[in-house]
């Protein structure tokens, strides 16, 4: 019998939450099969079987928090034979692959299924289901389970809560206990509400954003960019660019190049604080904020100063695709030196982005909007304008330096040819 343990996932990750088990107790699995999905504050990780066999026991249930190295289940070998044979003889492995089929029924599910009917169903509910039922004042023995063996899961409790209030009669007989159950949460709501537990990633995002505001002396400075020249370049070059590189020429490559050029001129903004030291980074790994289902993530474009426009666009497209399909690796998220976030894709006209600590600077892009601009003392034109914002840590960045950084970004964007030299 072998133990299923939570693997090490990087220095910054010490625990995770069991998101869902892909198999049930008694199921036969092959080496490499996915056993469960683990949710961390950065990425979701699939844990696979290291050998073939039968899932003997699930120790930690869905919704439970687990630590690195903790045993969360056990896997019994598919063959009941000697433990040394499979390692020394290939033929034994073939037998091992065949024998699990007849042995799989050995732990019969029938007795387990009978338990919910004869005993308290709370004993066969996942921790997350029990917690949700307590929060909503639902008796678990009234929740109908969709699981073949009768275990009650969080979705079963949610489904029960959406049904007609059949359990109205029992509370009448428990009048004294009724006030205490809803007092913990929903008693203040007189109209329908839905209570949702934060995902681990969303909770971590919330915690880090509050920490950033509490630990950094954060200020924001603003400017605006005339996007006429960039839009003209894109209009003239986009077809040939896509034909040659098989990727669209977007705005992000221009902004990434402009940021790199400005960071070279103002190196303190490409730094971080380590105790009483300022660590100036001589490389340019630019984080690009991407909105995913579970919340905002910031994958990193490595060595952006060495990449051409097409390489930057391909890298961003690849990272964004991974973020939306929840396949980002930890290496995709670690070690950024500066971040760019684009609220303009959602229609934001102006915002103050929050620092992605330990970085000390973040650039906010916004919606491009036609606005009247004074060309000279006598002439006005409608130009495609964008507000840009730089949030920075005032502990090591002076206001004048932040303003000049943003002016440099503006000047580089309004003269796209300069990006080939400065970026």
């Amino acid at each position: 019998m072998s133990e299923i343990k939570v693997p090490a996932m990087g220095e910054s990750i010490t625990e995770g939450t069991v998101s869902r088990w892909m198999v049930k107790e008694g199921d036969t699995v092959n080496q490499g099969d996915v056993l469960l999905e683990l949710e961390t504050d950065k990425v979701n990780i699939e844990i696979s079987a290291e050998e073939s066999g039968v899932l003997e026991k699930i120790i930690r249930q869905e919704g439970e928090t687990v630590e690195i190295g903790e045993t969360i289940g056990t896997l019994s070998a598919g063959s009941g034979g000697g433990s040394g044979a499979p390692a020394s003889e290939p033929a034994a492995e073939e037998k091992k692959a065949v024998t699990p089929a007849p042995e799989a029924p050995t732990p019969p599910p029938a007795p387990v299924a009978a338990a919910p009917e004869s005993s308290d169903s709370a004993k066969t509910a996942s921790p997350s289901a029990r917690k949700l039922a307590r929060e909503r004042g639902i008796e678990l023995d009234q929740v109908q389970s969709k699981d073949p063996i009768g275990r009650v899961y969080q979705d079963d409790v949610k489904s029960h809560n959406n049904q007609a209030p059949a359990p109205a009669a029992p509370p009448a007989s428990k009048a004294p206990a009724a006030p205490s159950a809803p007092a913990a949460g929903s008693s203040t709501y007189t109209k329908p509400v839905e209570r949702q537990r934060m995902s681990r990633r969303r909770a971590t995002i919330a915690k880090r954003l509050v920490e950033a505001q509490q630990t950094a002396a954060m200020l924001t400075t603003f400017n605006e960019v005339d996007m006429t020249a960039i839009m003209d370049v894109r209009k003239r070059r986009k077809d040939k660019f896509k034909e040659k590189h098989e990727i669209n020429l977007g705005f992000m490559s221009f902004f990434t190049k402009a940021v790199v050029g400005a960071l070279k001129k103002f190196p303190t903004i490409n730094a971080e604080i380590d105790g009483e030291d300022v660590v100036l980074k001589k490389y340019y790994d630019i984080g690009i904020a991407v909105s995913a289902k579970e919340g905002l993530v910031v994958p990193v474009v490595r060595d952006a100063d060495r990449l051409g426009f097409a390489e930057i666009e391909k890298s961003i497209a690849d990272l964004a695709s991974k973020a939306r399909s929840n396949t980002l690796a930890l290496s995709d998220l670690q070690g950024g030196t500066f971040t760019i976030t684009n609220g303009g894709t959602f229609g934001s006209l102006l915002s103050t982005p929050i620092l992605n600590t330990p970085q000390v600077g973040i650039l906010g892009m916004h919606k491009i909007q036609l606005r009247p601009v004074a060309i000279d003392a006598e002439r006005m034109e409608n130009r495609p304008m964008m507000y840009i914002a730089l949030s920075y840590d005032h502990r090591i960045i002076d206001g004048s330096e932040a303003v000049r950084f943003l002016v440099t970004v503006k000047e580089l964007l309004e003269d796209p040819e300069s990006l080939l030299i400065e970026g």
Side-chain angles (χ1 to χ4, degrees):
M1 182 172 64
S2 63
E3 296 180 333
I4 304 167
K5 293 181 178 290
V6 179
M9 296 172 285
E11 295 180 1
S12 61
I13 297 180
T14 59
E15 62 180 19
T17 301
V18 178
S19 177
R20 61 177 171 150
W21 281 91
M22 307 297 189
V23 290
K24 302 187 295 294
E25 290 182 357
D27 283 358
T28 301
V29 297
N30 296 317
Q31 184 179 16
D33 285 355
V34 176
L35 299 176
L36 71 150
E37 186 178 75
L38 196 70
E39 181 186 1
T40 74
D41 56 1
K42 294 181 181 294
V43 294
N44 284 12
I45 296 173
E46 293 179 340
I47 298 180
S48 302
E50 295 184 357
E51 59 180 275
S52 299
V54 177
L55 182 61
E56 186 172 276
K57 186 176 182 181
I58 293 176
I59 298 174
R60 304 306 296 267
Q61 304 295 335
E62 294 178 2
E64 292 192 79
T65 298
V66 294
E67 297 181 352
I68 302 302
E70 183 176 345
T71 300
I72 53 179
T74 57
L75 191 68
S76 62
S79 173
S83 59
S88 59
E89 193 174 343
E93 289 186 0
E94 294 179 9
K95 290 181 181 179
K96 186 177 177 182
V98 176
T99 51
E103 285 195 14
T106 303
V112 183
E117 298 176 0
S118 58
S119 61
D120 183 9
S121 63
K123 297 178 181 177
T124 59
S126 69
S128 58
R130 287 198 294 269
K131 184 175 185 300
L132 184 62
R134 284 196 301 271
E135 291 174 347
R136 298 189 178 184
I138 297 173
E139 296 290 339
L140 279 170
D141 56 5
Q142 297 171 358
V143 177
Q144 185 174 0
S145 172
K146 300 174 185 174
D147 187 77
I149 64 172
R151 180 178 293 278
V152 177
Y153 289 97
Q154 195 175 35
D155 288 342
D156 298 324
V157 178
K158 290 179 180 178
S159 299
H160 177 84
N161 201 48
N162 293 332
Q163 296 170 358
S173 62
K174 299 182 185 180
S180 60
S186 59
S187 61
T188 57
Y189 303 106
T190 58
K191 295 185 178 181
V193 299
E194 180 180 352
R195 186 182 296 273
Q196 295 183 346
R197 184 181 179 88
M198 277 191 186
S199 67
R200 172 169 289 275
R201 190 175 305 164
R202 173 54 63 188
T204 301
I205 290 171
K207 180 181 177 182
R208 291 191 64 191
L209 291 178
V210 171
E211 286 177 351
Q213 290 184 307
Q214 290 176 341
T215 59
M218 195 178 76
L219 292 178
T220 305
T221 185
F222 303 92
N223 212 314
E224 62 178 349
V225 178
D226 185 343
M227 298 291 288
T228 302
I230 288 179
M231 295 182 77
D232 179 61
V233 170
R234 290 182 71 237
K235 183 177 180 180
R236 289 186 289 106
R237 300 286 185 177
K238 65 178 183 179
D239 292 337
K240 287 185 179 180
F241 186 89
K242 186 171 184 178
E243 182 181 342
K244 181 177 181 180
H245 301 291
E246 299 181 341
I247 190 76
N248 288 324
L249 178 59
F251 292 111
M252 289 306 301
S253 52
F254 289 93
F255 276 82
T256 302
K257 283 289 187 181
V259 159
V260 169
L263 289 174
K264 288 180 177 179
K265 191 172 181 180
F266 300 95
T268 308
I269 301 177
N270 196 50
E272 68 177 70
I273 298 174
D274 183 13
E276 295 185 356
D277 296 332
V278 175
V279 181
L280 299 173
K281 299 174 182 178
K282 304 297 185 180
Y283 56 94
Y284 305 90
D285 290 349
I286 307 301
I288 306 295
V290 177
S291 179
K293 182 180 179 181
E294 292 293 331
L296 193 74
V297 291
V298 188
V300 179
V301 177
R302 305 289 173 188
D303 299 316
D305 57 318
R306 303 180 185 179
L307 303 180
F309 281 76
E311 293 170 307
I312 292 174
E313 292 291 352
K314 287 179 180 178
S315 181
I316 292 173
D318 179 57
L319 292 169
S321 176
K322 285 184 178 181
R324 295 184 180 109
S325 62
N326 204 23
T327 56
L328 282 170
L330 286 175
S331 58
D332 294 324
L333 300 168
Q334 295 174 332
T337 63
F338 186 91
T339 294
I340 302 174
T341 180
N342 185 5
T345 57
F346 304 104
S348 172
L349 190 61
L350 193 63
S351 66
T352 55
I354 298 177
L355 291 173
N356 181 23
T357 55
Q359 297 170 22
V360 295
I362 180 171
L363 180 77
M365 300 167 55
H366 299 92
K367 180 181 179 181
I368 299 173
Q369 190 176 57
L370 279 176
R371 291 198 290 270
V373 176
I375 305 303
D376 51 41
E378 299 179 353
R379 197 159 49 104
M380 297 281 290
E381 286 186 10
N382 286 331
R383 293 288 183 94
M385 305 297 292
M386 176 194 286
Y387 290 120
I388 55 175
L390 173 72
S391 291
Y392 60 97
D393 194 336
H394 203 6
R395 289 179 295 172
I396 62 170
I397 301 170
D398 292 332
S400 62
E401 188 177 17
V403 170
R404 286 182 290 141
F405 172 89
L406 205 57
V407 169
T408 301
V409 171
K410 166 187 169 68
E411 291 173 347
L412 289 171
L413 290 169
E414 291 181 344
D415 181 14
E417 292 179 359
S418 65
L419 295 176
L420 299 174
I421 302 172
E422 301 295 337

